[in-house]
Amino acid sequence: MNWFSNLNPVVQALIATLFTWGVTALGAALVFFFKNVSKKVLNSMLAFAAGVMIAASFWSLLSPALEMAESQGKNPWVMVSIGFMSGGIFLLLVDKFLPHLHIGFSSDESEGIKTSWQRSVLLVLAITLHNIPEGLAVGVAFGAVVAEIPSASLAGAIALAIGIGIQNFPEGAAVSLPLRREGFSPLKSFLYGQASGIVEPIAGVIGAVAVLKMQHILPFALAFAAGAMIFVVVEELIPEAQHEGETDITTMACMIGFTIMMILDVALG
């Protein structure tokens, strides 16, 4: 692990987000072994991902943001609140304009600007929306290590990357398996599924570079990533997971995801 700790934070963020993208591809690869997975399982996987993102938003992002703002002599709740809401508003605007289609919904229920794009592309774009704040969060976490704040440790950033990677597995499968069910070949379904994770290394590098160049915005950047993630959870993941009415199972799956991410962050961070 010493070799990794000696790397530039931007390189660390790139490696970490390449890992999270790889786990997305691993989840998408399930399409080579299964043609169909029950909606109950798929919904539980999405709810699990939601739980991971909720826990990561607080333990890995908001808590360090509050500590950093205070250490900088700023009013912590003001800066963090503004950053948190800005992240949600940013994703709200992206959601309103980027054409996408949520899993389990018909083509005429697509959101964003109306387009003639294929259903498969719209499904990929929906998951890509999830991955923008995830990649950004990992990048900002690695960039924050240079601030030398106890709550922003390299181990904590690694824990966040592992947690995001874990929840990317079901997200990759959530794209590839429905496409296979609709008649796409296993290879094409896999390629579409893993494509949803491409944005994570890009967002990760952008996040790390931004905080290294402007360390004074670290609390804002961490809170921004948290707000964007919570927006995704409440606006997309949980409604999709409970679309079929399996509220008890998906609620427990969400709590399990939260618990695993909390353990990861506290134990490693």
Side-chain angles (χ1 to χ4, degrees):
M1 187 60 68
N2 286 336
W3 67 270
F4 187 79
S5 60
N6 292 329
L7 295 174
N8 182 281
V10 177
V11 178
Q12 292 175 339
L14 176 61
I15 293 173
T17 46
L18 285 173
F19 161 75
T20 60
W21 178 19
V23 180
T24 303
L26 197 61
L30 287 180
V31 78
F32 292 114
F33 306 99
F34 305 98
K35 184 175 181 178
N36 194 13
V37 171
S38 74
K39 285 292 295 179
K40 187 180 294 186
V41 171
L42 197 59
N43 291 340
S44 297
M45 292 166 73
L46 289 174
F48 175 88
V52 170
M53 291 178 71
I54 294 171
S57 295
F58 176 75
W59 297 101
S60 300
L61 299 171
L62 287 176
S63 181
L66 289 165
E67 185 177 339
M68 287 179 195
E70 189 171 9
S71 70
Q72 292 177 358
K74 300 169 183 174
N75 188 316
W77 66 264
V78 171
M79 174 169 276
V80 173
S81 296
I82 293 173
F84 183 81
M85 291 304 301
S86 297
I89 293 170
F90 170 74
L91 257 291
L92 173 65
L93 294 174
V94 174
D95 185 74
K96 291 297 182 185
F97 290 102
L98 181 69
H100 61 284
L101 176 66
H102 298 308
I103 298 162
F105 289 77
S106 60
S107 297
D108 58 2
E109 294 179 284
S110 62
E111 298 181 7
I113 296 174
K114 296 305 177 184
T115 177
S116 59
W117 292 351
Q118 293 182 344
R119 175 181 172 85
S120 55
V121 175
L122 294 175
L123 284 169
V124 171
L125 288 176
I127 299 297
T128 301
L129 274 176
H130 304 178
N131 291 332
I132 292 173
E134 293 167 12
L136 184 64
V138 173
V140 169
F142 277 98
V145 176
V146 299
E148 297 182 350
I149 302 295
S151 60
S153 64
L154 179 61
I158 293 172
L160 176 61
I162 293 173
I164 294 297
I166 290 172
Q167 66 92 41
N168 274 359
F169 184 87
E171 287 192 350
V175 176
S176 64
L177 290 171
L179 292 178
R180 181 74 180 105
R181 198 164 53 238
E182 292 180 12
F184 283 73
S185 70
L187 178 60
K188 193 170 184 179
S189 299
F190 166 76
L191 291 176
Y192 275 117
Q194 63 81 35
S196 64
I198 292 176
V199 71
E200 288 200 4
I202 299 171
V205 169
I206 291 173
V209 170
V211 298
L212 286 176
K213 296 294 184 181
M214 300 173 285
Q215 290 192 31
H216 62 282
I217 68 163
L218 263 175
F220 176 89
L222 287 166
F224 181 95
M229 289 176 70
I230 291 298
F231 178 89
V232 167
V233 168
V234 178
E235 203 275 339
E236 297 184 17
L237 287 181
I238 290 178
E240 288 174 30
Q242 299 193 341
H243 186 56
E244 303 294 323
E246 297 288 349
T247 56
D248 290 342
I249 294 175
T250 53
T251 298
M252 291 308 301
C254 181
M255 293 184 69
I256 291 170
F258 183 98
T259 302
I260 290 176
M261 183 64 229
M262 179 178 64
I263 292 172
L264 273 174
D265 192 272
V266 175
L268 297 181

